[in-house]
Amino acid sequence: MNAWARWAQETGAALVDPGKPLFHKRRVTAGGAEVIEDQLVAYAIVTAESHDAAVDVFRRHPHLTLIPGNSIDVIECPDIPGQVG
């Protein structure tokens, strides 16, 4: 946990939401809902000038060294045109 706290502090104002673990996943479709399994274990939200800059924010995230093969998906979530935010 110390490594996560240090990463969050180093990330500073770019860290909008430090996130939480992801549990009890269900996929909802027009036909109903079903329990799903995937590799997503948590989320965090950052703000950055570009997608590349957001990727750079996560290059030193402690999750990457916790277990060999761990990875972080960086997904852009742009503003919706015309949306007042």
Side-chain angles (χ1 to χ4, degrees):
M1 292 310 293
N2 289 338
W4 269 263
R6 190 169 36 259
W7 174 82
Q9 187 173 25
E10 290 171 359
T11 302
L15 186 60
V16 175
D17 180 346
K20 295 181 175 112
L22 300 172
F23 295 112
H24 304 292
K25 301 171 191 176
R26 295 176 77 183
R27 178 167 292 130
V28 178
T29 67
E34 62 183 318
V35 174
I36 63 165
E37 295 288 332
D38 61 25
Q39 296 179 340
L40 303 177
V41 296
Y43 78 92
I45 299 174
V46 300
T47 185
E49 291 296 317
S50 68
H51 193 224
D52 288 337
V55 167
D56 288 341
V57 169
F58 287 98
R59 289 193 191 276
R60 291 185 305 277
H61 194 285
H63 177 73
L64 297 174
T65 58
L66 185 64
I67 298 172
N70 272 2
S71 63
I72 297 173
D73 296 332
V74 180
I75 303 168
E76 184 177 6
C77 185
D79 291 330
I80 296 171
Q83 181 181 16
V84 178

